[in-house]
């Protein structure tokens, strides 16, 4: 969720998707690392698509998306503008955060 927030995109998982992810991890006898691997598998294509399409506002991961039988639900907003980029600029011993326009 945090990575998509950097692109100002909201990420949601519906309840059935979360249950499917948990079921898959249980069947594979994996712990938290297994959950992470399953989620990364689901998110790979999405993580590449988001930065290239600024009109994507919200993505909901569904059970079908986790099972690879369907796509996530994507909400588009054609009026969106590129989000400003936050950068940490170090000047000596103090740090300051500046906003940089993505234009």
């Amino acid at each position: 969720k945090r990575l998509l927030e950097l692109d100002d995109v909201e990420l949601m998982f519906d309840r059935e998707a979360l249950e499917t992810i948990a079921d898959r991890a249980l069947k594979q006898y994996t712990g938290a690392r297994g959950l992470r691997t399953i989620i990364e598998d689901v998110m790979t294509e999405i993580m590449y698509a988001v930065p290239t399409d600024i009109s994507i506002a919200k993505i909901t991961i569904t059970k079908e998306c986790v099972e690879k039988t369907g796509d996530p639900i994507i909400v588009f907003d054609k009026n969106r503008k590129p989000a400003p980029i936050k950068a940490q600029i170090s000047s000596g011993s103090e740090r300051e955060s500046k906003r940089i326009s993505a234009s």
Side-chain angles (χ1 to χ4, degrees), residues 32 37 66 79-80 82 91 102:
T37 301
V66 175
N79 297 318
R80 287 171 47 104
S91 57

Side-chain angles (χ1 to χ4, degrees), residues 2 10 22-23 43 46 51 54 64 68 72 81 84 87 94 97:
R2 180 69 186 123
E10 182 182 1
D23 287 344
M43 295 297 300
I46 295 166
I54 63 167
E64 293 77 20
K68 306 258 186 221
K81 305 239 185 290
E94 58 186 59
S97 180

Side-chain angles (χ1 to χ4, degrees), residues 8-74:
D8 200 25
V9 174
E10 182 182 1
L11 175 65
M12 304 292 296
F13 288 80
D14 70 20
R15 184 167 184 82
E16 288 182 325
L18 293 174
E19 289 172 354
T20 303
I21 292 168
D23 287 344
R24 186 181 295 176
L26 285 171
K27 287 176 185 169
Q28 295 174 356
Y29 298 104
T30 60
R33 289 180 197 222
L35 288 170
R36 180 181 173 146
T37 301
I38 294 165
I39 292 172
E40 284 176 348
D41 180 51
V42 170
M43 295 297 300
T44 300
E45 285 185 44
I46 295 166
M47 295 302 292
Y48 284 105
V50 167
T52 61
D53 188 345
I54 63 167
S55 67
I56 297 174
K58 181 179 178 180
I59 298 173
T60 302
I61 304 300
T62 63
K63 175 183 178 179
E64 293 77 20
C65 181
V66 175
E67 294 175 336
K68 306 258 186 221
T69 60
D71 295 321
I73 299 168
I74 300 176

